[in-house]
Amino acid sequence: MKVFKTSGMLMIVMLALTNNFSFAQSKFSKKTQQKIEAVESNLAASTMTKEQPTWTLQERMETYNVQGLSIAVIDGGEIQWTKGYGFTDVASKTKVESNTLFQAASISKSLNAMAILKLAQDQEINLDADINDYLSTWKFPYESGNKPISTAHLLSHTAGLNVHGFPGYTFEEPKPSVIQILNGESPSNTEAIKSLFEPGIRYQYSGGGTLISQLILEDVTHKKYSDFLKEKVLSPLQMNNSFFGAGDPKKGSMFSTAYENDGTEVEGKFHIYPELAAAGLWTTPTDLAKFIIEMQLSAKNQSNKVLNQDFTKLMLSPFIESSDISMGTFIEKHGEELYFTHSGANWGFNCIYIGGIENGKGVVIMANSDNPQILYEIVTSVTTVYGWEGYDLPEIKDLYPVSDDQLNEYVGEYSINEQIKINIATGDKVLMLTLPGRPAFEIYPESKDKFFPIALPGQIEFVRNDKNEIIKLIVHANGSSTSANKTK
Protein backbone atom coordinates (compact mmCIF):
# COMPACT_ATOMS: atom_id res chain seq x y z
CA MET A 1 0.00 0.00 0.00
CA LYS A 2 1.53 3.27 -1.00
CA VAL A 3 0.36 6.31 0.77
CA PHE A 4 -3.26 7.31 0.50
CA LYS A 5 -6.84 6.42 1.16
CA THR A 6 -7.43 7.06 -1.93
CA SER A 7 -11.13 5.96 -1.70
CA GLY A 8 -9.78 7.98 -2.82
CA MET A 9 -7.30 7.64 -5.63
CA LEU A 10 -5.95 4.89 -8.04
CA MET A 11 -4.86 4.06 -11.86
CA ILE A 12 -2.66 4.31 -15.05
CA VAL A 13 -2.58 2.98 -18.60
CA MET A 14 -0.66 1.96 -21.67
CA LEU A 15 -0.97 0.02 -24.92
CA ALA A 16 0.17 0.88 -28.39
CA LEU A 17 -1.88 -1.24 -30.76
CA THR A 18 -5.38 -2.67 -30.75
CA ASN A 19 -4.07 -6.23 -30.93
CA ASN A 20 -2.38 -5.72 -27.57
CA PHE A 21 -5.78 -6.22 -25.94
CA SER A 22 -6.42 -9.69 -24.57
CA PHE A 23 -9.55 -11.36 -23.26
CA ALA A 24 -9.96 -12.85 -19.81
CA GLN A 25 -13.12 -14.50 -21.10
CA SER A 26 -13.46 -15.40 -24.76
CA LYS A 27 -17.20 -15.93 -25.33
CA PHE A 28 -20.00 -13.53 -24.47
CA SER A 29 -23.62 -13.27 -25.52
CA LYS A 30 -24.43 -10.63 -28.12
CA LYS A 31 -26.07 -8.43 -25.48
CA THR A 32 -23.11 -8.71 -23.11
CA GLN A 33 -20.65 -8.02 -25.93
CA GLN A 34 -22.55 -4.84 -26.77
CA LYS A 35 -22.31 -3.76 -23.13
CA ILE A 36 -18.58 -4.47 -23.07
CA GLU A 37 -18.01 -2.43 -26.22
CA ALA A 38 -20.06 0.42 -24.77
CA VAL A 39 -17.95 0.41 -21.59
CA GLU A 40 -14.73 0.32 -23.62
CA SER A 41 -15.74 3.31 -25.78
CA ASN A 42 -17.22 5.72 -23.22
CA LEU A 43 -14.58 6.45 -20.60
CA ALA A 44 -15.12 9.82 -18.95
CA ALA A 45 -14.28 11.68 -15.80
CA SER A 46 -17.04 12.32 -13.27
CA THR A 47 -16.73 16.03 -14.10
CA MET A 48 -15.89 17.27 -17.60
CA THR A 49 -15.63 20.52 -19.53
CA LYS A 50 -17.68 21.13 -22.67
CA GLU A 51 -14.58 20.82 -24.82
CA GLN A 52 -13.67 17.31 -23.66
CA PRO A 53 -14.92 14.22 -25.53
CA THR A 54 -15.25 10.76 -24.02
CA TRP A 55 -12.39 8.33 -24.63
CA THR A 56 -11.84 4.71 -25.52
CA LEU A 57 -10.18 2.38 -23.05
CA GLN A 58 -7.26 1.90 -25.44
CA GLU A 59 -6.76 5.68 -25.74
CA ARG A 60 -6.64 6.13 -21.97
CA MET A 61 -4.27 3.21 -21.47
CA GLU A 62 -1.92 4.85 -23.94
CA THR A 63 -2.35 8.26 -22.31
CA TYR A 64 -1.60 6.98 -18.81
CA ASN A 65 1.08 4.42 -19.78
CA VAL A 66 -0.94 1.56 -18.32
CA GLN A 67 0.55 -1.75 -19.42
CA GLY A 68 -2.24 -4.04 -18.29
CA LEU A 69 -5.54 -4.10 -16.45
CA SER A 70 -8.42 -6.41 -15.69
CA ILE A 71 -12.12 -5.69 -15.14
CA ALA A 72 -15.05 -7.58 -13.60
CA VAL A 73 -18.61 -6.24 -13.81
CA ILE A 74 -21.48 -7.34 -11.55
CA ASP A 75 -25.13 -6.80 -12.45
CA GLY A 76 -28.21 -8.40 -10.94
CA GLY A 77 -26.04 -9.87 -8.19
CA GLU A 78 -24.01 -11.93 -10.66
CA ILE A 79 -20.70 -11.54 -12.48
CA GLN A 80 -21.71 -10.51 -15.99
CA TRP A 81 -18.26 -10.43 -17.57
CA THR A 82 -14.55 -10.29 -16.90
CA LYS A 83 -11.94 -9.17 -19.37
CA GLY A 84 -8.22 -8.50 -19.42
CA TYR A 85 -6.37 -5.89 -21.43
CA GLY A 86 -2.74 -5.41 -22.27
CA PHE A 87 0.27 -7.09 -20.77
CA THR A 88 0.87 -8.62 -17.37
CA ASP A 89 4.56 -8.53 -18.36
CA VAL A 90 5.75 -6.45 -21.30
CA ALA A 91 9.22 -8.00 -21.64
CA SER A 92 7.81 -11.50 -22.16
CA LYS A 93 4.71 -10.23 -24.04
CA THR A 94 2.51 -12.13 -21.56
CA LYS A 95 -1.07 -10.93 -21.82
CA VAL A 96 -3.50 -10.36 -18.98
CA GLU A 97 -5.78 -13.37 -18.46
CA SER A 98 -8.64 -14.10 -16.06
CA ASN A 99 -6.27 -15.76 -13.59
CA THR A 100 -3.58 -13.06 -13.71
CA LEU A 101 -2.77 -12.02 -10.14
CA PHE A 102 -2.54 -8.35 -9.16
CA GLN A 103 -1.59 -6.84 -5.83
CA ALA A 104 -4.78 -5.65 -4.14
CA ALA A 105 -2.87 -3.19 -1.93
CA SER A 106 -5.22 -1.49 0.54
CA ILE A 107 -8.18 -3.55 -0.63
CA SER A 108 -6.50 -6.16 1.60
CA LYS A 109 -8.04 -4.22 4.49
CA SER A 110 -11.56 -5.22 3.45
CA LEU A 111 -10.76 -8.94 3.64
CA ASN A 112 -8.81 -8.35 6.86
CA ALA A 113 -11.83 -6.66 8.42
CA MET A 114 -13.99 -9.62 7.43
CA ALA A 115 -11.53 -11.96 9.16
CA ILE A 116 -11.35 -9.88 12.34
CA LEU A 117 -15.13 -9.57 12.47
CA LYS A 118 -15.30 -13.34 12.09
CA LEU A 119 -13.28 -13.57 15.33
CA ALA A 120 -15.76 -11.23 17.01
CA GLN A 121 -18.72 -13.16 15.63
CA ASP A 122 -17.22 -16.35 17.08
CA GLN A 123 -16.76 -14.52 20.41
CA GLU A 124 -12.99 -14.86 20.37
CA ILE A 125 -12.55 -11.09 20.73
CA ASN A 126 -14.64 -8.12 21.81
CA LEU A 127 -14.38 -5.35 19.22
CA ASP A 128 -14.66 -2.67 21.92
CA ALA A 129 -12.07 -4.06 24.35
CA ASP A 130 -8.52 -2.77 24.76
CA ILE A 131 -6.28 -4.21 22.01
CA ASN A 132 -3.69 -5.11 24.67
CA ASP A 133 -6.19 -7.61 26.06
CA TYR A 134 -5.52 -9.72 22.94
CA LEU A 135 -1.92 -8.88 22.10
CA SER A 136 0.49 -11.31 23.75
CA THR A 137 3.69 -11.18 21.66
CA TRP A 138 3.74 -7.36 21.68
CA LYS A 139 1.91 -4.63 23.57
CA PHE A 140 0.85 -1.24 22.31
CA PRO A 141 3.01 1.37 24.10
CA TYR A 142 0.39 3.60 25.67
CA GLU A 143 1.62 6.79 27.24
CA SER A 144 0.39 7.65 30.73
CA GLY A 145 -3.27 8.60 30.75
CA ASN A 146 -4.00 7.49 27.18
CA LYS A 147 -7.43 6.06 26.51
CA PRO A 148 -7.46 2.44 25.36
CA ILE A 149 -7.59 1.67 21.66
CA SER A 150 -10.09 -0.96 20.52
CA THR A 151 -10.01 -3.35 17.58
CA ALA A 152 -13.00 -1.47 16.16
CA HIS A 153 -10.87 1.68 16.19
CA LEU A 154 -8.14 -0.11 14.22
CA LEU A 155 -10.54 -1.38 11.55
CA SER A 156 -12.24 2.01 11.11
CA HIS A 157 -9.08 4.16 11.12
CA THR A 158 -10.26 6.02 14.22
CA ALA A 159 -7.48 4.82 16.54
CA GLY A 160 -5.54 8.07 16.13
CA LEU A 161 -2.40 6.28 14.92
CA ASN A 162 0.41 7.24 12.54
CA VAL A 163 1.93 5.49 9.47
CA HIS A 164 -0.47 5.98 6.60
CA GLY A 165 1.00 3.32 4.32
CA PHE A 166 3.95 1.09 3.54
CA PRO A 167 6.41 1.29 0.62
CA GLY A 168 7.22 -2.45 0.60
CA TYR A 169 10.54 -4.18 -0.02
CA THR A 170 12.29 -5.56 -3.07
CA PHE A 171 12.41 -9.34 -3.39
CA GLU A 172 16.11 -9.41 -2.47
CA GLU A 173 15.93 -7.06 0.53
CA PRO A 174 15.74 -8.45 4.09
CA LYS A 175 12.16 -8.41 5.35
CA PRO A 176 11.27 -7.30 8.90
CA SER A 177 8.94 -9.19 11.21
CA VAL A 178 5.60 -7.68 12.13
CA ILE A 179 6.94 -6.74 15.56
CA GLN A 180 10.00 -5.04 14.02
CA ILE A 181 7.67 -3.00 11.80
CA LEU A 182 5.48 -2.04 14.76
CA ASN A 183 8.58 -0.94 16.68
CA GLY A 184 10.18 0.80 13.69
CA GLU A 185 13.27 -1.42 14.06
CA SER A 186 15.66 -2.37 11.25
CA PRO A 187 15.15 -3.66 8.62
CA SER A 188 11.74 -1.94 8.78
CA ASN A 189 11.55 1.09 6.47
CA THR A 190 8.77 2.87 8.38
CA GLU A 191 8.62 4.54 11.78
CA ALA A 192 7.25 2.95 14.96
CA ILE A 193 3.47 2.84 15.34
CA LYS A 194 2.33 5.37 17.94
CA SER A 195 -0.64 7.49 19.01
CA LEU A 196 -1.17 10.90 17.48
CA PHE A 197 -4.44 11.73 19.21
CA GLU A 198 -7.16 10.20 21.36
CA PRO A 199 -8.97 7.24 19.75
CA GLY A 200 -12.57 7.49 18.62
CA ILE A 201 -12.52 11.22 17.89
CA ARG A 202 -12.04 11.32 14.15
CA TYR A 203 -10.87 9.44 11.10
CA GLN A 204 -7.19 9.24 10.18
CA TYR A 205 -6.14 6.54 7.76
CA SER A 206 -3.51 4.27 9.31
CA GLY A 207 -2.06 1.20 7.70
CA GLY A 208 -0.08 0.94 10.93
CA GLY A 209 -3.28 0.37 12.86
CA THR A 210 -4.34 -2.33 10.41
CA LEU A 211 -1.01 -4.09 10.98
CA ILE A 212 -1.79 -4.27 14.71
CA SER A 213 -5.01 -6.11 13.85
CA GLN A 214 -2.91 -8.63 11.91
CA LEU A 215 -0.92 -9.40 15.06
CA ILE A 216 -4.11 -9.59 17.14
CA LEU A 217 -5.43 -12.28 14.82
CA GLU A 218 -2.24 -14.33 15.09
CA ASP A 219 -1.94 -13.93 18.86
CA VAL A 220 -5.57 -14.93 19.42
CA THR A 221 -5.76 -17.84 16.97
CA HIS A 222 -2.13 -19.03 17.23
CA LYS A 223 -2.23 -19.48 13.45
CA LYS A 224 -0.29 -17.84 10.64
CA TYR A 225 -2.24 -14.89 9.30
CA SER A 226 -2.17 -16.19 5.71
CA ASP A 227 -3.40 -19.63 6.78
CA PHE A 228 -6.30 -18.24 8.82
CA LEU A 229 -7.39 -15.93 5.99
CA LYS A 230 -7.32 -18.79 3.51
CA GLU A 231 -9.28 -21.13 5.77
CA LYS A 232 -11.87 -18.73 7.17
CA VAL A 233 -12.31 -16.14 4.41
CA LEU A 234 -10.83 -16.90 0.99
CA SER A 235 -11.83 -20.56 0.73
CA PRO A 236 -15.43 -20.08 1.94
CA LEU A 237 -15.82 -17.29 -0.65
CA GLN A 238 -14.28 -19.55 -3.32
CA MET A 239 -11.58 -16.95 -3.93
CA ASN A 240 -9.40 -19.74 -5.25
CA ASN A 241 -6.95 -17.50 -7.10
CA SER A 242 -6.18 -15.36 -4.06
CA PHE A 243 -3.73 -15.49 -1.18
CA PHE A 244 -2.04 -13.28 1.41
CA GLY A 245 1.73 -13.41 1.15
CA ALA A 246 4.82 -12.65 -0.88
CA GLY A 247 4.74 -13.31 -4.59
CA ASP A 248 7.81 -14.64 -6.36
CA PRO A 249 8.92 -12.65 -9.44
CA LYS A 250 10.75 -15.76 -10.66
CA LYS A 251 7.44 -17.55 -11.20
CA GLY A 252 6.67 -15.59 -14.34
CA SER A 253 3.17 -15.05 -15.67
CA MET A 254 1.34 -16.03 -12.46
CA PHE A 255 2.21 -12.64 -10.90
CA SER A 256 1.68 -9.38 -12.74
CA THR A 257 4.76 -7.19 -13.10
CA ALA A 258 4.41 -3.70 -11.61
CA TYR A 259 5.04 -0.55 -13.66
CA GLU A 260 5.91 3.06 -12.82
CA ASN A 261 3.99 6.17 -13.96
CA ASP A 262 5.95 6.30 -17.21
CA GLY A 263 5.29 2.64 -17.99
CA THR A 264 8.75 1.37 -17.03
CA GLU A 265 9.10 -1.83 -15.03
CA VAL A 266 9.48 -1.58 -11.25
CA GLU A 267 12.89 -2.78 -10.10
CA GLY A 268 12.69 -6.46 -9.17
CA LYS A 269 9.25 -6.83 -10.88
CA PHE A 270 7.26 -5.81 -7.77
CA HIS A 271 7.58 -5.08 -4.06
CA ILE A 272 6.95 -7.47 -1.18
CA TYR A 273 4.68 -6.46 1.73
CA PRO A 274 5.05 -8.29 5.05
CA GLU A 275 2.24 -5.97 6.23
CA LEU A 276 -0.25 -8.55 4.96
CA ALA A 277 -3.44 -7.16 6.50
CA ALA A 278 -2.72 -3.70 5.14
CA ALA A 279 -1.35 -4.51 1.70
CA GLY A 280 -0.46 -8.18 1.18
CA LEU A 281 -3.32 -9.68 -0.85
CA TRP A 282 -2.72 -11.06 -4.36
CA THR A 283 -5.99 -11.58 -6.20
CA THR A 284 -8.06 -11.12 -9.36
CA PRO A 285 -11.11 -8.98 -10.18
CA THR A 286 -13.15 -12.18 -10.48
CA ASP A 287 -12.29 -13.20 -6.92
CA LEU A 288 -12.97 -9.73 -5.53
CA ALA A 289 -16.33 -9.78 -7.31
CA LYS A 290 -17.15 -12.92 -5.31
CA PHE A 291 -16.40 -10.96 -2.12
CA ILE A 292 -18.73 -8.14 -3.23
CA ILE A 293 -21.56 -10.53 -4.06
CA GLU A 294 -21.24 -12.30 -0.70
CA MET A 295 -21.41 -8.95 1.10
CA GLN A 296 -24.53 -8.02 -0.86
CA LEU A 297 -26.22 -11.34 -0.11
CA SER A 298 -25.20 -11.40 3.54
CA ALA A 299 -26.55 -7.88 4.07
CA LYS A 300 -29.94 -9.27 3.00
CA ASN A 301 -29.49 -12.39 5.17
CA GLN A 302 -29.33 -14.57 2.06
CA SER A 303 -25.84 -15.98 2.68
CA ASN A 304 -23.45 -16.41 5.61
CA LYS A 305 -20.34 -18.01 4.15
CA VAL A 306 -18.17 -15.93 6.52
CA LEU A 307 -20.23 -13.34 8.39
CA ASN A 308 -23.87 -13.28 9.43
CA GLN A 309 -26.15 -10.38 8.58
CA ASP A 310 -25.40 -8.40 11.76
CA PHE A 311 -21.64 -8.44 11.34
CA THR A 312 -21.87 -7.76 7.62
CA LYS A 313 -23.91 -4.67 8.41
CA LEU A 314 -21.09 -3.52 10.71
CA MET A 315 -18.87 -3.49 7.63
CA LEU A 316 -21.51 -1.58 5.71
CA SER A 317 -22.36 1.16 8.23
CA PRO A 318 -20.41 4.36 8.98
CA PHE A 319 -18.45 3.95 12.21
CA ILE A 320 -18.63 7.57 13.29
CA GLU A 321 -21.34 10.10 12.53
CA SER A 322 -20.96 12.26 9.40
CA SER A 323 -18.22 10.02 8.05
CA ASP A 324 -17.92 7.58 5.16
CA ILE A 325 -15.54 5.22 6.98
CA SER A 326 -16.72 1.83 8.20
CA MET A 327 -14.79 -1.28 9.26
CA GLY A 328 -12.76 -2.24 6.23
CA THR A 329 -14.84 -0.29 3.72
CA PHE A 330 -15.90 3.22 2.81
CA ILE A 331 -19.62 3.95 2.41
CA GLU A 332 -20.76 6.34 -0.30
CA LYS A 333 -24.24 7.61 -1.05
CA HIS A 334 -25.23 8.32 -4.64
CA GLY A 335 -28.79 9.54 -4.92
CA GLU A 336 -30.74 7.23 -2.63
CA GLU A 337 -28.38 4.28 -3.11
CA LEU A 338 -25.56 3.27 -0.75
CA TYR A 339 -22.36 1.73 -2.08
CA PHE A 340 -19.38 0.17 -0.30
CA THR A 341 -15.94 0.64 -1.76
CA HIS A 342 -12.20 0.53 -1.25
CA SER A 343 -9.24 1.36 -3.42
CA GLY A 344 -5.62 0.35 -3.23
CA ALA A 345 -2.19 1.56 -4.34
CA ASN A 346 0.96 -0.49 -3.93
CA TRP A 347 4.18 0.32 -5.76
CA GLY A 348 3.27 -0.12 -9.42
CA PHE A 349 -0.30 -1.32 -8.80
CA ASN A 350 -3.68 0.42 -8.50
CA CYS A 351 -7.14 -1.03 -8.01
CA ILE A 352 -10.67 -0.28 -6.88
CA TYR A 353 -13.92 -2.07 -6.14
CA ILE A 354 -17.44 -0.67 -5.71
CA GLY A 355 -20.55 -2.61 -4.76
CA GLY A 356 -24.14 -1.49 -4.33
CA ILE A 357 -25.54 -2.58 -0.96
CA GLU A 358 -29.08 -3.05 -2.26
CA ASN A 359 -29.00 -3.03 -6.07
CA GLY A 360 -26.76 -5.99 -6.88
CA LYS A 361 -24.37 -3.91 -8.98
CA GLY A 362 -20.61 -3.78 -8.76
CA VAL A 363 -17.30 -3.34 -10.53
CA VAL A 364 -13.68 -4.31 -9.84
CA ILE A 365 -10.72 -2.88 -11.74
CA MET A 366 -7.08 -3.84 -11.18
CA ALA A 367 -4.08 -2.37 -13.04
CA ASN A 368 -0.35 -3.00 -12.92
CA SER A 369 0.29 0.74 -13.04
CA ASP A 370 1.37 3.44 -10.63
CA ASN A 371 -1.27 5.87 -11.92
CA PRO A 372 -4.88 5.56 -10.71
CA GLN A 373 -6.74 7.97 -12.99
CA ILE A 374 -8.00 5.41 -15.49
CA LEU A 375 -9.81 3.46 -12.76
CA TYR A 376 -12.29 6.24 -12.09
CA GLU A 377 -12.87 6.84 -15.80
CA ILE A 378 -13.73 3.16 -16.23
CA VAL A 379 -16.06 3.39 -13.22
CA THR A 380 -17.87 6.33 -14.84
CA SER A 381 -18.29 4.31 -18.04
CA VAL A 382 -19.56 1.19 -16.24
CA THR A 383 -22.02 3.12 -14.08
CA THR A 384 -23.35 4.94 -17.15
CA VAL A 385 -23.68 1.87 -19.38
CA TYR A 386 -25.31 -0.23 -16.62
CA GLY A 387 -27.50 2.57 -15.27
CA TRP A 388 -26.35 2.57 -11.67
CA GLU A 389 -28.95 4.29 -9.49
CA GLY A 390 -27.63 7.52 -8.05
CA TYR A 391 -24.61 7.73 -10.33
CA ASP A 392 -25.07 10.66 -12.67
CA LEU A 393 -23.68 11.04 -16.15
CA PRO A 394 -20.49 13.14 -16.23
CA GLU A 395 -21.26 16.62 -14.96
CA ILE A 396 -20.43 19.23 -17.58
CA LYS A 397 -19.04 22.46 -16.12
CA ASP A 398 -18.22 25.84 -17.63
CA LEU A 399 -14.74 27.20 -16.97
CA TYR A 400 -14.39 30.40 -14.95
CA PRO A 401 -12.07 32.90 -16.66
CA VAL A 402 -8.84 33.50 -14.73
CA SER A 403 -5.64 35.34 -15.62
CA ASP A 404 -2.10 34.04 -15.11
CA ASP A 405 -1.66 36.55 -12.27
CA GLN A 406 -4.76 35.22 -10.54
CA LEU A 407 -3.57 31.63 -10.88
CA ASN A 408 -0.23 32.53 -9.30
CA GLU A 409 -2.05 33.48 -6.08
CA TYR A 410 -2.80 29.81 -5.42
CA VAL A 411 0.70 28.45 -6.07
CA GLY A 412 2.47 26.91 -3.07
CA GLU A 413 2.72 23.98 -0.69
CA TYR A 414 -0.23 23.00 1.51
CA SER A 415 0.17 20.61 4.45
CA ILE A 416 -2.51 18.20 5.65
CA ASN A 417 -0.04 16.89 8.23
CA GLU A 418 3.71 16.28 8.46
CA GLN A 419 3.46 13.29 6.11
CA ILE A 420 0.99 14.49 3.49
CA LYS A 421 1.61 17.71 1.56
CA ILE A 422 -0.14 19.03 -1.53
CA ASN A 423 1.73 21.08 -4.12
CA ILE A 424 -0.06 23.59 -6.35
CA ALA A 425 1.61 24.92 -9.51
CA THR A 426 0.36 26.70 -12.63
CA GLY A 427 -0.48 25.09 -15.96
CA ASP A 428 -2.07 26.40 -19.15
CA LYS A 429 -5.02 28.37 -17.75
CA VAL A 430 -5.36 25.73 -15.02
CA LEU A 431 -3.65 24.71 -11.79
CA MET A 432 -1.60 21.55 -11.40
CA LEU A 433 -2.13 19.60 -8.15
CA THR A 434 0.46 17.07 -6.97
CA LEU A 435 0.12 14.60 -4.09
CA PRO A 436 3.12 12.71 -2.67
CA GLY A 437 4.11 9.83 -4.91
CA ARG A 438 1.58 10.79 -7.60
CA PRO A 439 1.84 12.54 -10.97
CA ALA A 440 0.46 16.06 -11.18
CA PHE A 441 -3.08 16.47 -12.49
CA GLU A 442 -5.06 19.47 -13.66
CA ILE A 443 -7.70 21.28 -11.63
CA TYR A 444 -10.00 23.68 -13.47
CA PRO A 445 -11.56 26.94 -12.19
CA GLU A 446 -15.33 26.93 -11.75
CA SER A 447 -15.42 30.15 -9.69
CA LYS A 448 -12.90 32.53 -8.17
CA ASP A 449 -11.63 30.19 -5.42
CA LYS A 450 -13.16 26.86 -6.36
CA PHE A 451 -11.56 24.34 -8.73
CA PHE A 452 -12.52 20.86 -9.89
CA PRO A 453 -10.34 17.97 -11.10
CA ILE A 454 -11.01 15.90 -14.19
CA ALA A 455 -8.87 13.04 -12.90
CA LEU A 456 -10.75 12.42 -9.65
CA PRO A 457 -14.17 13.29 -8.20
CA GLY A 458 -14.35 16.24 -5.84
CA GLN A 459 -13.69 19.94 -5.46
CA ILE A 460 -10.75 22.02 -4.23
CA GLU A 461 -11.71 25.20 -2.40
CA PHE A 462 -9.14 27.88 -1.53
CA VAL A 463 -9.69 29.98 1.60
CA ARG A 464 -8.55 33.59 2.08
CA ASN A 465 -7.89 35.65 5.21
CA ASP A 466 -9.13 39.20 5.83
CA LYS A 467 -6.14 40.50 3.82
CA ASN A 468 -7.36 38.55 0.77
CA GLU A 469 -4.38 36.16 1.02
CA ILE A 470 -4.74 32.43 0.35
CA ILE A 471 -4.14 30.62 3.67
CA LYS A 472 -5.39 27.08 3.06
CA LEU A 473 -7.24 24.77 0.73
CA ILE A 474 -10.05 22.32 1.46
CA VAL A 475 -10.53 19.11 -0.51
CA HIS A 476 -14.19 18.10 -0.70
CA ALA A 477 -14.64 14.48 -1.81
CA ASN A 478 -16.87 11.49 -1.02
CA GLY A 479 -19.00 13.46 1.40
CA SER A 480 -16.12 14.61 3.61
CA SER A 481 -13.68 17.54 3.69
CA THR A 482 -9.95 17.70 4.41
CA SER A 483 -8.06 20.93 5.10
CA ALA A 484 -4.47 21.71 4.22
CA ASN A 485 -2.78 24.87 5.50
CA LYS A 486 -0.54 26.84 3.14
CA THR A 487 3.03 26.49 4.41
CA LYS A 488 5.06 27.85 1.48
Side-chain angles (χ1 to χ4, degrees), residues 180-306:
Q180 285 175 322
I181 299 169
L182 293 173
N183 289 332
E185 298 170 348
S186 181
S188 172
N189 56 16
T190 50
E191 64 181 325
I193 310 301
K194 61 183 179 182
S195 291
L196 298 177
F197 53 85
E198 180 181 319
I201 295 176
R202 59 183 173 87
Y203 159 85
Q204 175 154 316
Y205 195 91
S206 173
T210 304
L211 184 61
I212 295 174
S213 72
Q214 176 178 330
L215 190 59
I216 287 174
L217 186 148
E218 292 191 328
D219 283 352
V220 168
T221 65
H222 305 292
K223 294 182 179 180
K224 287 177 60 178
Y225 182 85
S226 57
D227 291 344
F228 184 90
L229 266 288
K230 180 179 180 180
E231 177 188 351
K232 299 295 185 180
V233 177
L234 301 180
S235 292
L237 297 182
Q238 296 185 312
M239 294 177 66
N240 300 323
N241 287 320
S242 304
F243 72 94
F244 281 84
D248 187 346
K250 299 175 183 176
K251 291 188 177 180
S253 61
M254 179 179 180
F255 301 104
S256 182
T257 298
Y259 292 91
E260 304 279 3
N261 286 321
D262 61 1
T264 59
E265 184 178 301
V266 168
E267 181 181 359
K269 296 289 187 182
F270 47 76
H271 285 191
I272 304 297
Y273 295 83
E275 305 90 355
L276 299 181
L281 174 64
W282 285 91
T283 188
T284 67
T286 301
D287 274 8
L288 286 178
K290 294 175 182 178
F291 160 75
I292 292 173
I293 292 169
E294 173 63 18
M295 291 283 285
Q296 292 170 332
L297 292 174
S298 183
K300 298 175 182 178
N301 204 24
Q302 295 175 359
S303 181
N304 60 351
K305 292 177 181 177
V306 181

Side-chain angles (χ1 to χ4, degrees), residues 464-480:
R464 299 173 183 268
N465 61 16
D466 55 9
K467 297 179 182 179
N468 203 37
E469 301 167 329
I470 302 292
I471 57 170
K472 68 177 180 179
L473 64 77
I474 304 173
V475 178
H476 303 284
N478 299 321
S480 62

Side-chain angles (χ1 to χ4, degrees), residues 70-112:
S70 186
I71 304 172
V73 171
I74 301 165
D75 195 51
E78 298 179 348
I79 299 175
Q80 295 298 309
W81 57 273
T82 62
K83 189 172 176 182
Y85 304 83
F87 295 113
T88 179
D89 184 80
V90 174
S92 65
K93 301 300 181 185
T94 304
K95 292 186 176 182
V96 176
E97 303 290 347
S98 60
N99 60 350
T100 299
L101 293 172
F102 292 83
Q103 288 187 1
S106 289
I107 287 177
S108 306
K109 295 178 177 69
S110 292
L111 282 298
N112 174 70

Side-chain angles (χ1 to χ4, degrees), residues 126-416:
N126 181 333
L127 291 172
D128 298 319
D130 187 337
I131 56 176
N132 278 348
D133 290 351
Y134 305 109
L135 290 164
S136 57
T137 57
W138 177 87
K139 295 291 185 180
F140 185 80
Y142 288 117
E143 295 182 5
S144 177
N146 277 20
K147 290 187 177 181
I149 294 169
S150 71
T151 306
H153 291 141
L154 299 178
L155 299 183
S156 61
H157 300 287
T158 58
L161 301 180
N162 64 333
V163 183
H164 184 98
F166 301 100
Y169 302 82
T170 65
F171 187 72
E172 303 298 334
E173 282 182 299
K175 313 301 185 298
S177 67
V178 170
I179 292 175
Q180 285 175 322
I181 299 169
L182 293 173
N183 289 332
E185 298 170 348
S186 181
S188 172
N189 56 16
T190 50
E191 64 181 325
I193 310 301
K194 61 183 179 182
S195 291
L196 298 177
F197 53 85
E198 180 181 319
I201 295 176
R202 59 183 173 87
Y203 159 85
Q204 175 154 316
Y205 195 91
S206 173
T210 304
L211 184 61
I212 295 174
S213 72
Q214 176 178 330
L215 190 59
I216 287 174
L217 186 148
E218 292 191 328
D219 283 352
V220 168
T221 65
H222 305 292
K223 294 182 179 180
K224 287 177 60 178
Y225 182 85
S226 57
D227 291 344
F228 184 90
L229 266 288
K230 180 179 180 180
E231 177 188 351
K232 299 295 185 180
V233 177
L234 301 180
S235 292
L237 297 182
Q238 296 185 312
M239 294 177 66
N240 300 323
N241 287 320
S242 304
F243 72 94
F244 281 84
D248 187 346
K250 299 175 183 176
K251 291 188 177 180
S253 61
M254 179 179 180
F255 301 104
S256 182
T257 298
Y259 292 91
E260 304 279 3
N261 286 321
D262 61 1
T264 59
E265 184 178 301
V266 168
E267 181 181 359
K269 296 289 187 182
F270 47 76
H271 285 191
I272 304 297
Y273 295 83
E275 305 90 355
L276 299 181
L281 174 64
W282 285 91
T283 188
T284 67
T286 301
D287 274 8
L288 286 178
K290 294 175 182 178
F291 160 75
I292 292 173
I293 292 169
E294 173 63 18
M295 291 283 285
Q296 292 170 332
L297 292 174
S298 183
K300 298 175 182 178
N301 204 24
Q302 295 175 359
S303 181
N304 60 351
K305 292 177 181 177
V306 181
L307 299 179
N308 62 30
Q309 184 182 35
D310 290 340
F311 278 89
T312 296
K313 286 187 173 181
L314 282 180
M315 285 189 67
L316 298 176
S317 303
F319 185 75
I320 53 178
E321 193 174 347
S322 302
S323 171
D324 62 351
I325 181 63
S326 186
M327 295 189 195
T329 66
F330 294 89
I331 309 302
E332 298 178 353
K333 188 172 184 179
H334 296 270
E336 296 303 313
E337 293 289 332
L338 290 174
Y339 295 84
F340 62 104
T341 182
H342 212 298
S343 60
N346 274 1
W347 206 284
F349 289 97
N350 270 283
C351 50
I352 189 171
Y353 78 75
I354 305 172
I357 295 177
E358 295 286 345
N359 62 15
K361 297 181 182 291
V363 64
V364 186
I365 311 156
M366 306 190 80
N368 59 351
S369 167
D370 213 24
N371 189 325
Q373 273 82 327
I374 194 172
L375 303 184
Y376 300 105
E377 295 174 7
I378 295 172
V379 167
T380 298
S381 185
V382 169
T383 59
T384 301
V385 170
Y386 281 86
W388 285 27
E389 298 87 341
Y391 272 86
D392 297 324
L393 295 173
E395 181 182 359
I396 306 300
K397 289 191 176 183
D398 293 318
L399 296 182
Y400 181 80
V402 291
S403 66
D404 291 341
D405 287 342
Q406 289 173 314
L407 287 176
N408 284 328
E409 295 182 42
Y410 306 104
V411 171
E413 181 182 87
Y414 298 77
S415 298
I416 295 176

